[in-house]
């Protein structure tokens, strides 16, 4: 299947590579010509600008945006609004706010252009592992995109089958889900990232408690010097708290026990805030997720081990560039 990809950064470039590996024809563009040239050297068709990309796609076109949420995505969609035609499909695979999706889809609908939002999880590991995708849009359009989505998804792998799922949507078991109407995909991904904040914070605080068990403030016979790297490793092996985040934590601690190369200043990329805003709108309590978000705010004025661990996890799964160590 032919697809245009706009934005060839940490995830967009690898999305193109995974699709090409799966036999799809990718036409690509990035504002950085070197990024475009790199994909072109691997078999994609490079483009000099958006208009050039659109001209190289056969109709009805499919264009996947993998851009930072906010102005750059808005500006790109505005430009596409001027050049796309009826029955074309534009996909926002970034972390846009779901209410923006609803507004944008209504505007494209006036042209007969379909808008699909895809919350995409997988970070820098997606090329090999695949991407978990949460999709919002019209069912018929999402079905049309299935060859692309199935290639990007992780597939069933060796995860055991969940009892009681007979007769349910098989796409979900392959790692991608049509969540509902436009905006629902990004809404589900938004809450996913809010939960991620809470999980990361729980690990960081737990390991902080373990690390301080050797504190001189404790009675001598109650002090332990614990190997955090080995604790993380043993918890990976059959523990109920095992997870990919714990895998990344174990790797970070094994190479740098004090996590000294990581900053204590932890960024929040928007989804955590939006999740708390949604909880307020729905009058749903979210104490853990709220506390995790506020801790990231606090991290900009503190120097604590848990924040180094949060930085290590963010770098591990997404290649996020944290603030430099001061």
């Amino acid at each position: 299947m032919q697809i245009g990809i706009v934005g060839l950064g940490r995830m967009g470039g690898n999305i193109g590579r995974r699709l090409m590996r799966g036999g799809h024809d990718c036409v690509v563009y990035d504002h950085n010509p070197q990024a475009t040239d790199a994909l072109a050297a691997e078999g994609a068709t490079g483009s000099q600008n958006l208009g050039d990309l659109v001209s190289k796609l056969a109709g009805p076109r499919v264009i996947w945006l993998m851009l930072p949420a906010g102005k750059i995505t808005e500006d790109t969609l505005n430009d596409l609004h001027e050049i796309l035609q009826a029955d074309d499909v534009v996909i926002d695979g970034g972390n846009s706010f779901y209410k923006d999706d609803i507004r944008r889809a209504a505007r494209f609908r006036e042209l007969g252009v379909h808008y699909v939002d895809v919350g995409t999880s997988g970070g820098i590991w997606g090329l090999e592992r695949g991407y978990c995708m949460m999709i919002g849009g019209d069912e018929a359009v999402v079905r049309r995109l299935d060859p692309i989505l199935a290639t990007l998804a992780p597939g069933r792998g060796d995860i055991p089958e969940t009892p009681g799922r007979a007769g349910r949507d098989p796409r979900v078991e392959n790692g991608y889900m049509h969540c509902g109407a436009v905006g629902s995909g990004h809404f589900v991904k938004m809450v996913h990232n809010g939960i991620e904040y809470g999980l990361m914070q729980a690990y960081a605080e737990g390991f902080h408690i373990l690390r301080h068990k050797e504190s001189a403030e404790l009675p001598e016979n109650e002090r332990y010097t614990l190997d955090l790297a080995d604790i993380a490793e043993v918890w990976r092996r059959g523990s109920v708290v095992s997870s990919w985040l714990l895998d990344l934590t174990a790797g970070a601690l094994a190479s740098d026990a004090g996590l000294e190369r990581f900053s204590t200043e932890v960024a929040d990329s928007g989804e955590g805030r939006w999740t708390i805003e949604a909880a307020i709108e729905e009058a749903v309590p979210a104490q853990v997720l709220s506390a995790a978000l506020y801790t990231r705010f606090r991290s900009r004025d503190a120097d604590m081990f848990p924040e180094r661990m949060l930085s290590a996890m963010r770098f591990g799964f997404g290649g996020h560039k944290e603030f430099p160590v001061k």
Side-chain angles (χ1 to χ4, degrees):
M1 188 170 178
Q2 189 185 48
I3 182 172
I5 303 175
V6 179
L8 307 174
R10 289 191 304 265
M11 289 182 67
N14 280 345
I15 283 174
R17 292 181 178 95
R18 188 170 175 91
L19 287 172
M20 287 190 290
R21 288 182 182 180
H24 299 278
D25 176 16
C26 294
V27 181
V28 300
Y29 168 69
D30 191 277
H31 73 282
N32 178 1
Q34 292 180 331
T36 302
D37 292 344
L39 265 291
E42 297 178 38
T45 301
S47 306
Q48 296 181 349
N49 51 53
L50 280 178
D52 187 31
L53 178 138
V54 169
S55 71
K56 291 175 177 175
L57 293 169
R61 304 170 185 87
V62 176
I63 299 176
W64 183 300
L65 306 187
M66 206 66 198
L67 300 168
K71 187 177 187 302
I72 186 171
T73 295
E74 193 74 34
D75 290 346
T76 303
L77 287 168
N78 286 337
D79 291 341
L80 288 173
H81 188 270
E82 301 302 314
I83 54 180
L84 293 183
Q85 299 175 354
D87 212 28
D88 289 345
V89 180
V90 60
I91 303 165
D92 183 357
N95 281 327
S96 290
F97 186 41
Y98 78 99
K99 292 185 180 180
D100 288 336
D101 292 320
I102 296 170
R103 170 179 55 80
R104 292 164 178 167
R107 187 164 177 247
F108 276 104
R109 196 174 297 119
E110 295 173 355
L111 302 176
V113 173
H114 309 289
Y115 182 100
V116 174
D117 56 287
V118 179
T120 311
S121 181
I124 58 176
W125 301 87
L127 176 60
E128 303 300 333
R129 293 171 59 112
Y131 299 91
C132 173
M133 293 170 289
M134 296 137 271
I135 306 153
D138 294 339
E139 171 66 13
V141 178
V142 175
R143 287 285 183 187
R144 189 202 301 182
L145 300 173
D146 197 72
I148 293 168
L149 301 170
T151 298
L152 290 175
R156 290 174 181 255
D158 57 2
I159 298 174
E161 194 170 308
T162 301
R165 279 202 56 85
R168 301 181 72 88
D169 188 345
R171 294 175 294 184
V172 175
E173 294 163 16
N174 283 295
Y176 64 112
M177 174 184 177
H178 180 215
C179 300
V182 165
S184 63
H186 276 152
F187 184 81
V188 173
K189 176 59 162 52
M190 176 190 80
V191 177
H192 162 283
N193 283 24
I195 292 170
E196 178 186 291
Y197 280 34
L199 291 173
M200 292 170 68
Q201 188 64 33
Y203 282 126
E205 292 180 7
F207 277 92
H208 197 207
I209 295 168
L210 293 169
R211 187 171 188 255
H212 277 263
K213 189 57 177 169
E214 63 181 353
S215 171
E217 297 177 1
L218 296 172
E220 187 173 357
N221 65 344
E222 295 181 12
R223 298 176 205 162
Y224 305 129
T225 300
L226 300 170
D227 189 319
L228 301 191
D230 280 358
I231 291 172
E233 187 65 29
V234 76
W235 283 355
R236 293 181 62 215
R237 313 288 174 169
S239 162
V240 73
V241 299
S242 60
S243 72
W244 185 28
L245 286 173
L246 184 60
D247 294 346
L248 298 171
T249 300
L253 288 168
S255 62
D256 178 8
L259 304 178
E260 296 299 330
R261 66 191 179 97
F262 293 100
S263 167
T264 61
E265 298 181 51
V266 187
D268 67 286
S269 53
E271 297 90 340
R273 299 187 190 208
W274 298 337
T275 300
I276 303 310
E277 289 173 5
I280 292 170
E281 289 176 356
E282 300 168 17
V284 171
Q287 297 97 318
V288 171
L289 307 191
S290 298
L293 174 63
Y294 295 148
T295 297
R296 295 200 177 192
F297 297 161
R298 183 198 68 191
S299 74
R300 288 144 212 185
D301 296 311
D303 184 5
M304 299 179 68
F305 181 78
E307 279 66 55
R308 292 189 191 280
M309 185 167 287
L310 294 178
S311 289
M313 283 186 271
R314 277 174 55 81
F315 179 80
F317 67 74
H320 297 288
K321 295 179 180 178
E322 295 292 353
F323 300 96
V325 176
K326 295 179 179 178

